[in-house]
Amino acid sequence: MGNLSPTFYQNKANLLQLLKDKSYKTGSFQLSSGKNSSHYLNCKPVSLNGYGLKLISELFLELINSESKAVAGLTLGADPLVSGVIVLAANRGLVLDGLIIRKEIKNYGTKSGLEGPNLEKNTVVTVLEDVITTARSSLKAVNKLRENDYIVKEVISIVDREEGGEDNLKNNKINLKSLFNIRDFID
């Protein structure tokens, strides 16, 4: 984690093509932020494909700050991302745990909003995201992690739509690292 491998840029180019083929659409769409857009990205057809998840996981793993001892994300979009990165890390002999953040706390059992191993207080956790628009879902994840005494310094996303998300994260002392921005998809 840290120095980019010689294959990073080839993997990134392969992922971009896969996203263009399977995830990017033009038309008229309402986004989860409520905004309307002529560009839509649904990364799940790629993140739920073995080859696509392998590329995403390899790229994300290289971008994760070496201080991070865990990755986390808001269910559903981050579920494959978290799983892919922690499996790849384990295959490389790296210790990296995963946490999944529920959108709503379950009202039974432990009533937990977080699923995964119990980590020590002040563990540094990186949030993973598929698409950043306003960063509302990322900030929900960050806030839940901070409520549980974890330290969050960065969010890593596949795509930044460049619609205020990076600034919203900066205002919360979070660094955004994105593999792509929306301009990468517009020909």
Side-chain angles (χ1 to χ4, degrees), residues 20-34:
K20 284 181 175 182
D21 293 344
K22 297 184 180 290
S23 297
Y24 177 70
K25 296 185 181 341
T26 58
S28 179
F29 306 97
Q30 184 173 16
L31 306 176
S32 64
S33 65

Side-chain angles (χ1 to χ4, degrees), residues 128-141:
L128 306 181
E129 186 72 78
D130 53 2
V131 179
I132 297 278
T133 302
T134 63
R136 183 180 59 189
S137 64
S138 296
L139 287 170
K140 185 174 183 176

Side-chain angles (χ1 to χ4, degrees), residues 8-37:
F8 181 87
Y9 295 101
Q10 185 58 55
N11 285 342
K12 189 174 172 182
N14 292 344
L15 179 59
L16 180 59
Q17 190 58 56
L18 201 57
L19 289 165
K20 284 181 175 182
D21 293 344
K22 297 184 180 290
S23 297
Y24 177 70
K25 296 185 181 341
T26 58
S28 179
F29 306 97
Q30 184 173 16
L31 306 176
S32 64
S33 65
K35 294 181 177 185
N36 291 318
S37 177

Side-chain angles (χ1 to χ4, degrees), residues 15 56 66 76 86 105 128 148 154:
L15 179 59
I56 294 165
S66 61
L76 173 79
I86 63 173
I105 295 175
L128 306 181
N148 284 273
E154 67 182 359

Side-chain angles (χ1 to χ4, degrees), residues 2 14 16 24 30 32 42 47-48 50-51 107-109 129 134 136 148 157 161-162 167 172 176 181:
N14 292 344
L16 180 59
Y24 177 70
Q30 184 173 16
S32 64
N42 175 8
S47 66
L48 292 169
Y51 177 64
N107 58 6
Y108 56 89
E129 186 72 78
T134 63
R136 183 180 59 189
N148 284 273
S157 72
R161 290 183 55 87
E162 299 181 304
D167 288 339
N172 286 275
L176 174 63
N181 59 54

Side-chain angles (χ1 to χ4, degrees), residues 93-106:
L94 303 172
V95 178
L96 194 64
D97 286 314
L99 298 169
I100 299 295
I101 301 154
R102 292 178 177 273
K103 290 183 181 175
E104 296 191 23
I105 295 175
K106 61 182 184 177

